Amino acid sequence: MLSTTLIDKLNAQITLEFYSSNLYLQMAAWCDTRGFPGCSSFLAQHASEEYQHGRKLFTYVMETGGLARVGAIEAPKADFASVQDIFDATLAHEIAITAKINDLVKTAMNEGDFSTFNFLQWYTSEQHEEEKLFRNIVDRIRVIGPDGKGLYWIDKEIGKMGKKDG
Ligand code: FEO
């Protein structure tokens, strides 16, 4: 049985994962209108993954006797300065999500809720992978450079990463 504190924190995380999904979908739309189909497809695919992260938490709360609740989801930012701006924002976002997951893990541990602690290990590993993925993209953008030709290759590369890693 989940404590009220954990139910509230898990529900907040559900809402945050759905927000992440909307954020990446919005970024996909920006990339699409600016002529970056590879980035757009990668981000849209990632949006679906974030939705699944939220659903997995939602199911866990229900299975554990809690009331899963989706909170208000604010509209994500829709305008960005560049592809680099987008991926800098994704990395910062993932780092913030990792902090939230770590807080959940700490709470489960402090409460001696080892079932939830164990369940959250999947998210801990996932956040490691997500930060690695977005850090890798940010590094590639820096190395290749922001001129026209560079951006063309970045888009192609990121499109391929979506198929492989996303
Ligand atoms: Fe669900 Fe990208 O963290």
Side-chain angles (χ1 to χ4, degrees):
M1 190 72 190
L2 289 166
S3 71
T4 310
T5 306
L6 267 176
I7 290 176
D8 288 348
K9 287 194 178 206
L10 288 165
N11 279 335
Q13 192 63 33
I14 289 168
T15 306
L16 199 50
E17 298 289 347
F18 289 156
Y19 170 76
S20 305
S21 179
N22 290 349
L23 174 65
Y24 293 155
L25 200 58
Q26 192 62 68
M27 289 171 163
W30 186 93
C31 290
D32 183 68
T33 59
R34 297 301 196 282
F36 299 110
C39 293
S40 179
S41 136
F42 169 84
L43 287 161
Q45 190 178 330
H46 213 83
S48 303
E49 283 188 30
E50 297 299 347
Y51 177 73
Q52 289 308 323
H53 295 173
R55 285 297 305 271
K56 198 176 166 82
L57 283 156
F58 193 87
T59 302
Y60 181 78
V61 172
M62 286 197 301
E63 283 175 354
T64 335
L67 175 65
R69 290 198 66 172
V70 180
I73 301 169
E74 69 171 290
K77 179 181 168 177
D79 198 24
F80 301 91
S82 61
V83 167
Q84 181 164 349
D85 182 31
I86 286 212
F87 285 101
D88 282 346
T90 60
L91 179 57
H93 184 69
E94 290 301 334
I95 290 170
I97 297 290
T98 299
K100 294 284 184 189
I101 295 293
N102 287 345
D103 178 60
L104 265 169
V105 170
K106 242 182 268 166
T107 306
M109 180 64 138
N110 289 344
E111 290 189 5
D113 184 340
F114 298 112
S115 167
T116 301
F117 178 83
N118 188 45
F119 166 75
L120 289 169
Q121 295 314 300
W122 184 88
Y123 285 87
T124 303
S125 310
E126 183 67 12
Q127 281 312 119
H128 173 76
E129 291 304 318
E130 303 251 296
E131 279 195 35
K132 191 173 80 178
L133 175 67
F134 285 109
R135 193 167 282 116
N136 187 6
I137 291 175
V138 166
D139 287 348
R140 281 189 202 199
I141 294 174
R142 294 241 157 79
V143 167
I144 296 175
D147 66 10
K149 225 185 251 177
L151 282 175
Y152 175 79
W153 283 109
I154 285 164
D155 188 56
K156 280 222 170 304
E157 283 295 300
I158 293 175
K160 276 189 252 167
M161 288 171 86
K163 282 176 202 113
K164 202 169 46 192
D165 309 328

